[in-house]
Structures are given as structure tokens and as C-alpha cells.
Amino acid sequence: MSVTKKILAALLMGAGLLICSTKEADAQYGGGYGGGYGGGYGGRRFGSGIPQAGQGEERKRDNTPDPEKIAEEETRWMTKKLSLNEDQQMKVEDINIKYAFQRLDMYEAIKKATNNGTTPPSDEVRIKLREKMQKMKADKDNDFKAVLTPEQYEIYLKKRKD
């Protein structure tokens, strides 16, 4: 084998190792949408909170959800499943953003109440948080009901349960 072929083979092998190690790092830290981010309304809804390369942000290693990404995903899901028009899509996006940030506040309250997940909350705190979450869900549904047609709203309720 000539020297040129040996150098080319070594370069290709090095590039292959570099590509493999990059993919392995993505798998370790979640890659894509973050660790286990199921997208839509299934699986684990919150990503790992790790920003993607090129976003100019520090890497976070906690599980803090990104409210804007969640709202964007929910809006995309609703637009596709409910055939929203442009006006509805803008209103739905505003609603999703509003409640995504409220969920983030709830998430932070839960972290605080559980000492960052290391201790269970008291029964009183758990009941208060559950009631607050149920009210937030009902308020969000009412906001959607005002924007969606009755047919779209029924589809939303049915598909949300799936």
C-alpha cells in the first residue's frame, strides 16, 4: 500500500472515530430534544434542558423544561391535529406560551417543596399543588374553548387524552 493510501486510510479512520464519538456524546446527554423528550403529548414531556450547539447558551445539566420549546411543540401538534387557521394558530400559541411558563413556575415550586426531588412533599403541599395544577389545566381548556370551534375543541379533548 502506498504512503498516500495509508495516510488517506488513517484520515478516514480518524474522521469515522470523531463522528462516532460525537454521536455517542449526543446519546449520553440526550441530543436532539434532550433526554427522553417525547414530543407531542406522550412520554416524558420535559427535555433535559441542554441547549443545542450554536445557541450561545451554557449547557444546563438539570431537567428544567424550556417553556418556549414546549409551547412551540404543543402549538405545532394542535395546528396539525386541529387544522388551525392562522388567527387560531397565533392565539393558541399565546395560550400555550402563557401556560408553559405557569407550568415552569409549578415545576420550580415542586422542586422547592421536595428539596430538589430529594424528599417527598407534605400531604398539605401535595394537595395544594395538585389543586393549582388542576385549576391551571381547566383555565387553559377554557382559553382554548374560546378560540377553537366546537368541533376542534372536541377533537382537542379527545386527542389530549390519548
Side-chain angles (χ1 to χ4, degrees):
M1 189 183 275
S2 71
V3 175
T4 307
K5 286 184 181 179
K6 286 181 182 179
I7 292 173
L8 182 59
L11 286 173
L12 288 173
M13 188 178 295
L17 288 172
L18 180 63
I19 290 170
C20 289
S21 66
T22 302
K23 290 297 177 191
E24 186 176 295
D26 280 351
Q28 180 180 358
Y29 293 112
Y33 285 113
Y37 187 77
Y41 285 85
R44 206 171 128 213
R45 293 217 12 214
F46 300 122
S48 67
I50 300 173
Q52 297 303 302
Q55 291 181 335
E57 299 177 23
E58 286 186 32
R59 287 184 167 239
K60 295 187 221 172
R61 297 200 187 263
D62 62 6
N63 288 331
T64 304
D66 182 343
E68 291 175 352
K69 284 185 180 180
I70 292 168
E72 182 181 310
E73 185 67 31
E74 288 175 344
T75 302
R76 192 177 6 238
W77 178 86
M78 291 179 74
T79 299
K80 181 180 177 183
K81 298 293 182 184
L82 305 177
S83 302
L84 301 178
N85 62 38
E86 283 186 40
D87 184 50
Q88 287 176 315
Q89 189 173 349
M90 288 175 22
K91 290 176 182 176
V92 162
E93 184 175 27
D94 289 343
I95 293 167
N96 282 328
I97 288 171
K98 172 184 170 182
Y99 289 99
F101 277 97
Q102 286 185 15
R103 280 193 310 265
L104 178 62
D105 292 342
M106 288 294 300
Y107 182 79
E108 294 298 327
I110 292 168
K111 280 175 56 175
K112 185 177 178 182
T114 62
N115 195 20
N116 211 17
T118 59
T119 59
S122 68
D123 288 342
E124 180 183 341
V125 170
R126 191 172 37 79
I127 290 168
K128 283 182 182 179
L129 289 171
R130 181 185 301 136
E131 288 172 353
K132 198 171 183 181
M133 289 175 81
Q134 288 172 341
K135 182 180 179 341
M136 187 172 49
K137 182 179 173 185
D139 290 346
K140 184 178 180 182
D141 285 349
N142 285 333
D143 287 353
F144 282 144
K145 194 172 191 175
V147 172
L148 303 174
T149 65
E151 296 81 17
Q152 288 172 321
Y153 186 71
E154 287 301 316
I155 293 170
Y156 161 74
L157 291 176
K158 182 178 176 186
K159 292 200 179 283
R160 185 187 67 190
K161 290 178 183 177
D162 292 342

